[in-house]
Amino acid sequence: MPDIVLYTLVSLDGATDDPHRYFPETGDKHGAPVFDGELARLEGEMLARQGAVLLGRRTYDEWSRYWLTSDEQPFADFINTVPKYVVTSTPLAGDWTNVQSVSGPLAEVVADVKARTDADVGVHASITLAKSLLAEGLIDELCLAVGGVLDPVGPRLFAGLPARRELKLVEAASTSSGSLWLRYKLPTARTSSGDVDSK
């Protein structure tokens, strides 16, 4: 059975709004580490295990314009070709390929998307969707690229969780620029869910 893998770039205290605050594009100044080659390699290995992606609606609207012309690898080739399922109740616009809208209770959406692929299903950006999936126990694996920053700005990935969760560490790596790569398995804790129109 494929895993639902939540992947995001975060500050040490869980901020997710602006990855450039945690991973500046140049390393010629003091501050947070860059998204270095070691993180890129680990991200590429993770992407190779994914056969589909779940996105929230606002992320789709932003990414469908940006990634079509981006040469940022390895993510550009991955996201432009992988099947993408957008959680939304309104029609999609744009020319991004391999995209389909999905709606309904999240547990049913997740089960349906899992049934369509033999590989993992990634949840990228889409903070509102990610938080809803976490709250409802629908995330199987949590994968974080962590910058060495405490950032008071932006939504918190783990804010509003309904209960304490225990995680099993399956991979941890530090990089030469000071970043962390963390992978955790989450225990299954499925609950019923309502509809969501997510970022």
Side-chain angles (χ1 to χ4, degrees), residues 20-34 148-149 177:
H20 293 298
R21 290 174 63 88
Y22 332 130
F23 295 99
E25 293 183 355
T26 60
D28 58 357
K29 60 181 179 2
H30 296 292
V34 296
V149 173
S177 74

Side-chain angles (χ1 to χ4, degrees), residues 33-196:
V34 296
F35 193 86
D36 56 41
E38 294 153 274
L39 283 179
R41 175 183 60 80
L42 291 162
E43 180 185 83
E45 292 173 359
M46 177 201 65
L47 296 178
R49 297 189 293 268
Q50 296 185 4
V53 167
L54 269 173
L55 296 175
R57 177 55 189 263
R58 283 193 286 168
T59 296
Y60 167 80
D61 288 340
E62 295 169 5
W63 282 18
S64 63
R65 296 187 295 267
Y66 178 79
W67 286 108
L68 273 175
T69 58
S70 174
D71 59 0
E72 296 177 38
Q73 301 300 347
F75 198 74
D77 284 351
F78 166 78
I79 199 64
N80 284 326
T81 57
V82 73
K84 294 170 281 291
Y85 299 95
V86 183
V87 181
T88 183
S89 56
T90 57
L92 301 175
D95 299 320
W96 216 8
T97 59
N98 225 358
V99 176
Q100 180 177 334
S101 62
V102 290
S103 62
L106 278 181
E108 295 178 10
V109 167
V110 165
D112 180 56
V113 171
K114 279 187 171 185
R116 301 184 192 200
T117 180
D118 294 327
D120 288 344
V121 178
V123 180
H124 298 268
S126 307
I127 182 62
T128 303
L129 174 61
K131 291 175 68 172
S132 296
L133 291 167
L134 277 170
E136 296 183 26
L138 296 170
I139 297 296
D140 301 300
E141 180 177 306
L142 180 64
C143 190
L144 303 175
V146 185
V149 173
L150 298 175
D151 189 354
V153 176
R156 264 51 193 165
L157 179 60
F158 306 113
L161 286 178
R164 179 177 176 271
R165 303 290 300 278
E166 292 189 4
L167 312 177
K168 179 182 179 181
L169 181 66
V170 294
E171 185 178 20
S174 59
T175 74
S176 57
S177 74
S179 305
L180 288 175
W181 177 267
L182 301 171
R183 287 177 60 203
Y184 291 94
K185 290 289 187 181
L186 281 72
T188 302
R190 306 292 187 248
T191 63
S192 60
S193 70
D195 296 349
V196 64

